[in-house]
Amino acid sequence: MSLIRSRWFLNSGMNLLGGASAALVSFVLPPILARSLPPLEFSLWNLSLQIVAYLALFGSGIHLATAKFIAQSGDSLDRQRTASAAFLMAGIGVLIAGVAVAGIAWFYPSLFPGVPEGLVAAFRSSVVWVGGSAALQLFALVPLGIFVGCQQNAAYVSAQVLARAMTLGCVWYAAARHGGLNALTATYAATSFLVVPLAYGALARVHPSQVRALWRRPELARFKELLGYCGGFLIWTVATLLVNSVDLILVGRMDLNAVPAYSLALALITVLAGVIHAVVSPMLPVVSNLHSTAEGRRQLPALLNRATFWCSLACQCVLLGFLVLGRPFLKLYAGPYSDPAFPLLFVLLIATLLRHACYPYAIFLLGASLHHRAISSSLVEGFVNLGASLFLGYRYGAMGVAYGTLIGVLASQVVCFLRTFPQTRELVPSTASYLYHGLGKSILPLSPVYLAIGIWFLSRVIFQSP
């Protein structure tokens, strides 16, 4: 267990470094562009970036499947078979994504009636730049999966950090030179793509045999195995898109002027989710290794409880910190958009923390190849979120869309407790025990804080003199 813990800390640390670089880009660029672009062009910038999430469908689960099969194999030749099959999958995904970009660029602007005719051409060009770069970046999923499976996250993270540093620096420079929408999206797309050659360069240095294996004829059996694993994950990805990416598009269609405030709130949520993913995701190869032996499988429930405890505790600390520092921080970050962004951020933050308190469970499902049993909760969240956001959005605007996200999370958690946990007794032998040891105990260290907040609320609101 000490070896597991040391590897997890090492890879989590490296993932945090990579996550910090992504967080820096997601955190720093929006306020810079919000101050340098006119409000309408800033809205189009954010709507263009939503294309990246949808193109991720065509590479859904490739890096996770590659990491899992490599982590479970100690044979070098078997790992090479996995690499060649994954490279073929990535190539197919790039081709399909390229065709999709052309179609999206043509039809996407028509979704937003508030876009002036004079900006439609620039909007289409931005979609082509961002979409084309995102499609080609699907190739980077292969070295990512190989490094994660070998628990050598540092090699890939170094490529990520360098590419993101160049992206941030170049886009910042272009914004300072008063570049327009097309110049900024072209700069962003070109520098983001650099992660692909940098990742393969790192793979060639660390695992030259894996690079040579990429060009060999893949085995059909291994390709089908990877495809089967990715098939279950694809449904997760679709559900995630219904939660994370459709919302901003709905806001843009209902009220284009509300996109800047909603996108700034969403940028902060993306940073927070990325940090949680970076810390927890290195557990995937560890879980895969443990699940491959009878003794390791017996350790998984206790390990899941501990991981959930710390993740839930961290989520609660973030929420309490936001209650104290959220408004003054947002004044500095969002500038003129801070007032409309604050209530949106508060609702989205609660939804995100509720979802990610149990994020270790999702990683354990992937590591144990049980993710297909959680399809129902993922689909419920996606479709409830979509339906609630549409219904409330047309009545209350961007705030209604945010509440739709929260309703979707609550519906997903109910389905997870009632249906998904009973179907995965390998990980959760007792739902009540998981709720107590994983979630309930995390409330105890912060109970004095909750008590103080309750007393303050009673004194200021209920018992306040008229």
Side-chain angles (χ1 to χ4, degrees), residues 44 47-48 51 98-115 119-121 123-128 249 253:
L44 298 184
L47 292 172
S48 298
I51 300 301
V99 175
V101 168
I104 292 171
W106 181 257
F107 292 106
Y108 193 54
S110 62
L111 292 176
F112 310 103
V115 178
L119 286 176
V120 169
F123 192 13
R124 283 202 177 103
S125 178
S126 299
V127 170
V128 170
I249 293 175
R253 180 165 180 82

Side-chain angles (χ1 to χ4, degrees), residues 154-180:
Y156 186 82
V157 167
S158 61
Q160 277 186 324
V161 170
L162 181 57
R164 286 166 179 165
M166 295 182 68
T167 298
L168 180 59
C170 291
V171 175
W172 196 339
Y173 177 77
R177 297 293 296 260
H178 306 290

Side-chain angles (χ1 to χ4, degrees), residues 345-432:
L345 179 58
F346 183 67
V347 175
L348 292 175
L349 180 63
I350 293 176
T352 300
L353 295 178
L354 285 174
R355 182 191 302 120
H356 284 84
C358 296
Y359 184 67
Y361 175 67
I363 293 297
F364 276 58
L365 286 175
L366 291 168
S369 295
L370 300 174
H371 52 289
H372 58 281
R373 301 184 189 178
I375 288 175
S376 58
S377 59
S378 300
L379 289 177
V380 164
E381 179 176 2
F383 285 108
V384 169
N385 173 79
L386 178 61
S389 295
L390 281 170
F391 179 78
L392 297 174
Y394 277 109
R395 283 162 174 77
Y396 306 108
M399 198 66 201
V401 175
Y403 275 115
T405 300
L406 178 58
I407 293 172
V409 171
L410 293 174
S412 173
Q413 297 295 348
V414 171
V415 173
C416 194
F417 294 148
L418 297 180
R419 178 177 173 84
T420 308
F421 286 168
Q423 291 181 336
T424 55
R425 290 306 184 196
E426 303 95 321
L427 301 176
V428 185
S430 168
T431 302

Side-chain angles (χ1 to χ4, degrees), residues 56-61 227-243 366 371-383:
L57 280 173
F58 302 107
S60 180
L227 192 61
Y229 185 94
C230 293
F233 189 78
L234 178 62
I235 299 178
W236 274 27
T237 307
V238 171
T240 301
L241 287 176
L242 291 175
V243 173
L366 291 168
H371 52 289
H372 58 281
R373 301 184 189 178
I375 288 175
S376 58
S377 59
S378 300
L379 289 177
V380 164
E381 179 176 2
F383 285 108

